[in-house]
Amino acid sequence: MLLFLAADACFLLWRRFNRPTLLAPPLPGATLTADLRQGLRHILTLPGLGRLVLLASAINGVLGVTLATTAAMTTGVHHQSGAALACLQAAGAAATIVVLLIVARIRAQSLPVGLLAVSLIMAGGLLSWAASSFGGYVAGYLLIIGADKIFNVFIRSRRMRLIPAQDMGKTSGLIVMLNNLSQPLAGLAVSLGGATLPTGVIILLISLMMSALALASARGLVRNHRQTGIAGQPPSS
């Protein structure tokens, strides 16, 4: 609670000493359905945006199954204590801080870095399943948690280059909703399949399905990047 209060205080201080330039409010008469249609139109027509949505959904699927099975894998499959689970969560938080410090010094918005993050996340999902020791599972878990932060910076930067500024809110909101559907679906798959399948098998199946989706989306992004450039404009010669 103290951290949340400190964050609110920092935000208020930022508001006091910074005066950002805001976009003009939308013209009156716009409706919710019109905004949704406009956001969906951007997702379907802007070059590469739909593939970014599918790619993020694949990543969230792996992240969702990881978060849903962490306790079961730690205390059940690998027979560790609750203290080990707490240490694993703390290690994930530390990895997040380290990765974000690294991200601040690299071009995380570039396509190669984004695809590297995707590869690390998918590798982490497979390692979480294949690891015969708790140390191997920890390595897979930290790969997923750490690389996910790089991917978050990449995906948001790419979306900002594609979506028109005046439609950023309505389109981003719809994209976030679509992207986050895969996390609860992954949790539902764990819940439904847990009675008949080992937890590791569920992780493997979801990781393989999400890897196939990510590979297809990434190939489309690379092809689109070569043809049109980053922001949908012909690359400079």
Side-chain angles (χ1 to χ4, degrees):
M1 180 178 293
L2 291 177
L3 290 177
F4 281 112
L5 292 175
D8 288 339
C10 291
F11 180 72
L12 291 175
L13 287 174
W14 177 84
R15 287 283 303 272
R16 182 175 181 180
F17 295 106
N18 292 273
R19 293 293 183 267
T21 301
L22 302 178
L23 293 174
L27 295 175
T31 63
L32 176 61
T33 56
D35 288 345
L36 290 176
R37 286 197 301 269
Q38 181 65 23
L40 184 60
R41 188 178 300 113
H42 284 321
I43 293 173
L44 296 176
T45 60
L46 289 178
L49 187 56
R51 294 186 180 97
L52 288 176
V53 173
L54 292 177
L55 186 60
S57 296
I59 296 303
N60 282 333
V62 176
L63 182 62
V65 72
T66 299
L67 297 178
T69 59
T70 300
M73 292 295 291
T74 301
T75 61
V77 175
H78 294 290
H79 309 290
Q80 300 296 312
S81 64
L85 177 60
C87 289
L88 178 61
Q89 302 288 338
T96 296
I97 295 173
V98 172
V99 168
L100 289 176
L101 290 174
I102 295 174
V103 167
R105 297 184 175 274
I106 64 175
R107 292 188 59 194
Q109 71 273 18
S110 67
L111 186 60
V113 173
L115 296 182
L116 174 62
V118 172
S119 301
L120 292 176
I121 292 170
M122 297 306 166
L126 296 177
L127 181 59
S128 299
W129 160 75
S132 58
S133 65
F134 183 60
Y137 175 75
V138 170
Y141 176 87
L142 293 180
L143 268 180
I144 295 171
I145 298 300
D148 177 64
K149 306 311 174 211
I150 302 177
F151 180 79
N152 283 338
V153 176
F154 160 76
I155 200 74
R156 284 165 173 77
S157 300
R158 301 288 292 195
R159 286 201 304 247
M160 288 180 64
R161 297 185 178 202
L162 291 172
I163 303 171
Q166 67 272 17
D167 296 328
M168 180 65 70
K170 64 190 74 164
T171 308
S172 296
L174 183 59
I175 289 174
V176 169
M177 183 195 72
L178 294 174
N179 286 345
N180 287 334
L181 285 177
S182 57
Q183 283 201 35
L185 289 176
L188 179 62
V190 172
S191 178
L192 295 178
T196 56
L197 294 174
T199 304
V201 173
I202 298 174
I203 294 175
L204 173 63
L205 292 176
I206 294 179
S207 295
L208 289 176
M209 288 189 292
M210 294 300 103
S211 295
L213 178 59
L215 178 60
S217 303
R219 289 182 63 184
L221 284 174
V222 172
R223 183 168 57 251
N224 183 76
H225 177 78
R226 289 173 177 171
Q227 293 173 350
T228 63
I230 293 177
Q233 301 295 329
S236 58
S237 56

